[in-house]
Amino acid sequence: MVKQAEKQVKKNPLLPIFALILAGGLFFFALLIANGLVQGEIGKIAQLMTFKASPNRWTATIGIAFGIWLVFIAIAYFVVAVAAGRDPDDSPKIEVTPLRKAKKKQRDWK
């Protein structure tokens, strides 16, 4: 009988780059939402591209966008963790040891 070699699963080397692109895209959407919240009207997305706002408004927009982005990243991390699951081969192996036999007391019956 011939033993088969264990299959080595290689991960995609571009996976960290995809994660950075995803994080950047989520920050962009968070920035859009925060800009709409700060200005009071979500429909004015075109004003996001112009830098005519005061520094305090942009500071507030960036701060709110960062908070929304953290929520988005937490949701994405949760989805990836649930989708990936846990590898059953990585679970710790429990060694079963047999129980000791109880010592019987010798009784003198008279």
Side-chain angles (χ1 to χ4, degrees):
M1 181 171 16
V2 177
K3 285 187 175 181
Q4 287 184 340
E6 292 183 21
K7 294 181 181 178
Q8 298 291 332
V9 179
K10 289 188 177 180
K11 294 183 181 180
N12 191 353
L14 298 177
L15 197 60
I17 295 172
F18 294 145
L20 288 175
I21 292 171
L22 177 66
L26 288 176
F27 187 74
F28 178 74
F29 286 124
L31 194 60
L32 290 177
I33 293 170
N35 189 35
L37 291 173
V38 169
Q39 290 185 357
E41 297 177 24
I42 297 179
K44 294 186 178 182
I45 298 175
Q47 290 182 358
L48 176 66
M49 299 303 166
T50 61
F51 296 97
K52 297 178 182 177
S54 67
N56 291 336
R57 179 177 285 177
W58 278 107
T59 304
T61 304
I62 296 293
I64 293 171
F66 183 73
I68 294 171
W69 178 73
L70 285 178
V71 172
F72 284 165
I73 290 294
I75 292 170
Y77 185 77
F78 175 75
V79 168
V80 168
V82 168
R86 191 170 115 175
D87 189 11
D89 295 334
D90 290 343
S91 62
K93 303 292 182 193
I94 299 174
E95 295 182 17
V96 178
T97 57
L99 296 175
R100 294 184 300 167
K101 292 185 178 180
K103 294 181 180 178
K104 293 183 181 179
K105 293 183 179 179
Q106 297 290 336
R107 296 188 183 177
D108 292 335
W109 295 96
K110 291 185 181 180

